[in-house]
Amino acid sequence: MSKKLNINSIQKCKNSQKLTMVTAYDALFASIFDSYIDIILVGDSLNMSFLGKNDTLSATLDQMIYHTKAVCSGAKETFIITDMPFGTYNNKDEALTNSVRVYQETETDAVKIEGGEERADIIKHLTNNSIAVIGHIGLMPQFVRSEGGYKIRGKTQEDKQQLLKDAKAIEEAGAFAIVIEGVVSDVAKEISESINIPTIGIGAGSDTDGQVLVWSDMFGFYDKLSPKFVRKYLDGKSLITKGIEDYISDVKSKNFPNNDESY
Ligand code: KIV
């Protein structure tokens, strides 16, 4: 059982202990993860695994606020981060207005912004106005349509240099940590070593300062995409399928409810 982290204790984990982060979208699962995990991310991945869409781009601020409220009700001991959805932080003013809304309408601890060097001024504006920000660089799911797919980053010297610049710019803008997604392991290692804030990796090898996984991937509920970096800790879909089959069979055969389950 751990004490709830804050941005200072998260930063102290750099080079001392690995940070664990998972996504959650509702109070039930958040309450199960609470006090085991260091950080819960209310990711806009909920648009895919919770709402059944093909990508994250149609997630709205109202949806993120709704799910963050639910997660905050379930997890009282865990640092919570809310993903700012696509199109809600295109410029400094819009980013601040929308982040303040997230802060005022939920109890979230921080917001996540996708983007590198080009979004550093937006992150700086938020951190200057008392919003805690975690960056997100590398493969950025909100760019899937403009990039023509999900592409692993850091494969060329030029791209590596860009990612190093992105990380530095985000650190200098005042972010307390950075998610590094879908980046060649050696490059993610080099990025982690080049900055003083923690990096949390997903598909970025083992040398980041922590790891994040999407709960519905790691527990085997979502199988529309199965990237190789996901380790399945549970075969959730099979367990639920077996449970629902058993229930149907019991109802049909009048085995449920029995006398002990009746008044
Ligand atoms: O939306 C999300 O779940 C994320 C993780 C993949 C880091 O951004």
Side-chain angles (χ1 to χ4, degrees), residues 21 23 25 41-46 56 83 112 114 136 141 179 181 202 212 214:
M21 174 156 116
T23 64
Y25 314 132
L41 169 68
V42 187
D44 59 359
S45 53
L46 65 83
T56 61
D83 239 344
K112 179 162 78 61
E114 287 185 18
H136 183 152
V179 168
E181 178 166 0
I202 173 161
V212 53
V214 171

Short mmCIF file of all heavy atoms in Angstrom, two decimals, residues 21 23 25 41-46 56 83 112 114 136 141 179 181 202 212 214, ligand 1:
data_model
loop_
_atom_site.label_atom_id
_atom_site.label_comp_id
_atom_site.label_asym_id
_atom_site.label_seq_id
_atom_site.Cartn_x
_atom_site.Cartn_y
_atom_site.Cartn_z
N MET A 21 2.19 2.79 -14.25
CA MET A 21 1.00 3.55 -14.64
C MET A 21 0.11 2.64 -15.48
O MET A 21 0.62 1.85 -16.29
CB MET A 21 1.44 4.79 -15.43
CG MET A 21 0.37 5.62 -16.04
SD MET A 21 1.00 7.33 -16.29
CE MET A 21 0.96 7.50 -18.03
N THR A 23 -4.06 2.65 -17.42
CA THR A 23 -5.23 3.48 -17.69
C THR A 23 -6.40 2.93 -16.89
O THR A 23 -6.43 1.76 -16.48
CB THR A 23 -5.62 3.45 -19.19
OG1 THR A 23 -6.01 2.13 -19.55
CG2 THR A 23 -4.48 3.91 -20.07
N TYR A 25 -10.93 3.90 -16.77
CA TYR A 25 -11.96 4.79 -17.33
C TYR A 25 -13.20 4.88 -16.44
O TYR A 25 -14.14 5.58 -16.77
CB TYR A 25 -12.40 4.29 -18.72
CG TYR A 25 -11.24 3.92 -19.64
CD1 TYR A 25 -11.24 2.72 -20.34
CD2 TYR A 25 -10.16 4.77 -19.81
CE1 TYR A 25 -10.19 2.37 -21.18
CE2 TYR A 25 -9.10 4.43 -20.64
CZ TYR A 25 -9.12 3.23 -21.32
OH TYR A 25 -8.08 2.89 -22.14
N LEU A 41 -3.94 6.75 -15.58
CA LEU A 41 -4.17 7.65 -16.71
C LEU A 41 -5.58 7.44 -17.24
O LEU A 41 -5.94 6.32 -17.62
CB LEU A 41 -3.16 7.35 -17.82
CG LEU A 41 -3.42 8.04 -19.17
CD1 LEU A 41 -3.23 9.57 -19.06
CD2 LEU A 41 -2.49 7.49 -20.25
N VAL A 42 -6.37 8.52 -17.24
CA VAL A 42 -7.66 8.45 -17.93
C VAL A 42 -7.33 8.79 -19.39
O VAL A 42 -7.32 9.96 -19.79
CB VAL A 42 -8.69 9.44 -17.32
CG1 VAL A 42 -10.06 9.20 -17.94
CG2 VAL A 42 -8.74 9.31 -15.81
N GLY A 43 -6.95 7.77 -20.12
CA GLY A 43 -6.45 7.96 -21.48
C GLY A 43 -7.58 8.14 -22.48
O GLY A 43 -8.67 7.58 -22.30
N ASP A 44 -7.29 8.88 -23.56
CA ASP A 44 -8.32 8.99 -24.59
C ASP A 44 -8.43 7.68 -25.38
O ASP A 44 -9.29 7.53 -26.25
CB ASP A 44 -8.11 10.21 -25.50
CG ASP A 44 -6.77 10.21 -26.21
OD1 ASP A 44 -5.96 9.27 -26.01
OD2 ASP A 44 -6.51 11.15 -26.98
N SER A 45 -7.59 6.70 -25.03
CA SER A 45 -7.75 5.33 -25.56
C SER A 45 -9.12 4.78 -25.18
O SER A 45 -9.58 3.81 -25.78
CB SER A 45 -6.65 4.41 -25.02
OG SER A 45 -6.58 4.47 -23.62
N LEU A 46 -9.79 5.41 -24.22
CA LEU A 46 -11.14 4.98 -23.86
C LEU A 46 -12.07 5.07 -25.07
O LEU A 46 -13.08 4.35 -25.15
CB LEU A 46 -11.69 5.79 -22.67
CG LEU A 46 -11.95 7.30 -22.81
CD1 LEU A 46 -13.29 7.60 -23.45
CD2 LEU A 46 -11.90 7.96 -21.44
N THR A 56 -8.55 7.45 -31.45
CA THR A 56 -8.88 8.28 -30.27
C THR A 56 -9.46 9.65 -30.66
O THR A 56 -9.85 10.42 -29.78
CB THR A 56 -7.61 8.53 -29.43
OG1 THR A 56 -6.64 9.23 -30.23
CG2 THR A 56 -7.01 7.24 -28.93
N ASP A 83 -6.05 12.69 -20.05
CA ASP A 83 -5.61 13.02 -21.41
C ASP A 83 -6.43 14.18 -21.94
O ASP A 83 -7.67 14.13 -21.90
CB ASP A 83 -5.92 11.81 -22.31
CG ASP A 83 -4.69 11.26 -22.98
OD1 ASP A 83 -3.66 11.94 -23.02
OD2 ASP A 83 -4.79 10.12 -23.48
N LYS A 112 -2.45 15.42 -19.72
CA LYS A 112 -1.43 14.94 -20.67
C LYS A 112 -1.67 15.59 -22.02
O LYS A 112 -2.80 15.66 -22.50
CB LYS A 112 -1.45 13.42 -20.80
CG LYS A 112 -0.43 12.88 -21.80
CD LYS A 112 -0.15 11.40 -21.61
CE LYS A 112 -1.19 10.50 -22.18
NZ LYS A 112 -1.39 10.62 -23.65
N GLU A 114 -0.24 15.57 -26.05
CA GLU A 114 0.60 14.94 -27.08
C GLU A 114 1.29 16.02 -27.91
O GLU A 114 0.65 17.01 -28.28
CB GLU A 114 -0.26 14.07 -28.01
CG GLU A 114 -0.74 12.79 -27.37
CD GLU A 114 -1.49 11.86 -28.33
OE1 GLU A 114 -1.37 12.02 -29.56
OE2 GLU A 114 -2.19 10.98 -27.83
N HIS A 136 3.83 13.87 -24.03
CA HIS A 136 3.68 12.56 -24.70
C HIS A 136 4.32 12.70 -26.08
O HIS A 136 3.83 13.44 -26.93
CB HIS A 136 2.19 12.23 -24.83
CG HIS A 136 1.90 10.88 -25.45
ND1 HIS A 136 0.76 10.16 -25.15
CD2 HIS A 136 2.59 10.13 -26.35
CE1 HIS A 136 0.76 9.03 -25.86
NE2 HIS A 136 1.87 8.99 -26.59
N PRO A 141 -0.88 8.80 -30.77
CA PRO A 141 -2.10 8.28 -31.40
C PRO A 141 -3.00 9.36 -32.00
O PRO A 141 -3.73 9.09 -32.95
CB PRO A 141 -2.80 7.54 -30.25
CG PRO A 141 -1.68 7.13 -29.35
CD PRO A 141 -0.68 8.25 -29.41
N VAL A 179 5.57 10.86 -21.32
CA VAL A 179 5.28 9.52 -21.85
C VAL A 179 6.02 9.40 -23.18
O VAL A 179 5.97 10.31 -24.02
CB VAL A 179 3.76 9.32 -22.07
CG1 VAL A 179 3.49 8.05 -22.87
CG2 VAL A 179 3.02 9.27 -20.73
N GLU A 181 6.10 6.92 -26.33
CA GLU A 181 5.37 5.78 -26.91
C GLU A 181 5.98 5.36 -28.25
O GLU A 181 6.33 6.21 -29.09
CB GLU A 181 3.89 6.16 -27.11
CG GLU A 181 3.09 5.03 -27.77
CD GLU A 181 1.58 5.18 -27.70
OE1 GLU A 181 1.09 6.17 -27.14
OE2 GLU A 181 0.90 4.26 -28.22
N ILE A 202 5.86 3.24 -23.22
CA ILE A 202 4.90 2.24 -23.71
C ILE A 202 5.40 1.85 -25.10
O ILE A 202 5.48 2.70 -25.99
CB ILE A 202 3.44 2.77 -23.68
CG1 ILE A 202 2.48 1.78 -24.36
CG2 ILE A 202 3.27 4.18 -24.26
CD1 ILE A 202 1.02 1.96 -24.01
N VAL A 212 3.79 2.25 -18.84
CA VAL A 212 2.33 2.41 -18.83
C VAL A 212 1.73 1.41 -19.81
O VAL A 212 2.31 1.15 -20.87
CB VAL A 212 1.90 3.86 -19.18
CG1 VAL A 212 2.49 4.39 -20.46
CG2 VAL A 212 0.36 3.99 -19.23
N VAL A 214 -2.35 0.09 -21.32
CA VAL A 214 -3.80 0.31 -21.36
C VAL A 214 -4.45 -0.92 -20.71
O VAL A 214 -4.17 -2.06 -21.09
CB VAL A 214 -4.25 0.49 -22.83
CG1 VAL A 214 -5.77 0.49 -22.94
CG2 VAL A 214 -3.66 1.78 -23.41
O1 KIV B 1 -4.73 7.19 -24.24
C1 KIV B 1 -3.91 6.44 -23.69
O2 KIV B 1 -4.27 5.42 -23.09
C2 KIV B 1 -2.49 6.79 -23.77
C3 KIV B 1 -1.52 5.72 -23.42
C4 KIV B 1 -1.34 4.84 -24.59
C5 KIV B 1 -0.23 6.30 -22.94
O3 KIV B 1 -2.17 7.86 -24.15
#
